């Protein structure tokens, strides 16, 4: 599913994709906050932008998976929406932050939810997803 100017971004921001996740996923821009990274990673799942998901996951922990496993998971779901429930730190002046979210999706005909508090860290000036926060 391509991001187009006529639709709102899959991340639920209400913005046009070109004003939201498009610059990150398609044009190599770097999110400025942990929330922007979370939203763009959700959109990347919707769009099957596996390279973006892989490269925005911290190299220190991404060995737990593979691009093939990410593609298999993301393509098995019909992505229905994202809710950002809370953000702690993760702003312009921070080097670490958490984003609590609920991703809604349909898998094998059943609607499901993935609730997670994710940890993000700025590595060499670039925000990366680390893992579930404790």
């Amino acid at each position: 599913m391509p991001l187009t100017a006529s639709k709102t971004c899959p991340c639920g921001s209400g913005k046009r994709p070109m004003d939201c996740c498009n610059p990150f996923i398609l044009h190599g821009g770097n999110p400025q906050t942990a929330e922007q990274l979370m939203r763009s990673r959700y959109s990347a799942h919707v769009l099957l932008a596996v390279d973006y998901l892989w490269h925005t996951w911290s190299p220190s922990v991404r060995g737990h998976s593979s691009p093939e496993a990410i593609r298999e998971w993301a393509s098995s779901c019909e992505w229905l929406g994202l809710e950002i429930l809370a953000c702690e730190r993760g702003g312009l002046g921070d080097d670490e932050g958490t984003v609590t979210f609920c991703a809604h999706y349909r898998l094998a005909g059943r609607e499901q939810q993935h609730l997670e508090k994710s940890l993000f860290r700025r590595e060499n000036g670039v925000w990366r997803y680390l893992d579930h926060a404790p």
Side-chain angles (χ1 to χ4, degrees), residues 11-77:
C11 77
S13 68
K15 298 177 184 177
R16 295 180 310 164
M18 62 192 255
D19 297 325
C20 195
C21 295
N22 224 3
F24 310 128
I25 298 170
L26 301 178
H27 305 297
N30 291 319
Q32 298 300 300
T33 67
E35 181 179 349
Q36 283 181 332
L37 180 56
M38 177 63 242
R39 288 183 178 280
S40 65
R41 285 180 56 82
Y42 174 83
S43 291
H45 277 86
V46 173
L47 301 167
L48 299 179
V50 174
D51 287 343
Y52 181 79
L53 291 166
W54 186 254
H55 293 293
T56 57
W57 195 3
S58 176
S60 66
V61 293
R62 68 180 171 208
H64 302 203
S65 189
S66 68
E68 295 77 20
I70 293 169
R71 180 176 304 285
E72 185 177 325
W73 160 247
S75 65
S76 71
C77 300

Side-chain angles (χ1 to χ4, degrees), residues 71-89:
R71 180 176 304 285
E72 185 177 325
W73 160 247
S75 65
S76 71
C77 300
E78 176 187 353
W79 298 97
L80 304 174
L82 174 70
E83 293 177 80
I84 301 293
L85 304 173
C87 295
E88 298 171 36
R89 299 183 59 226

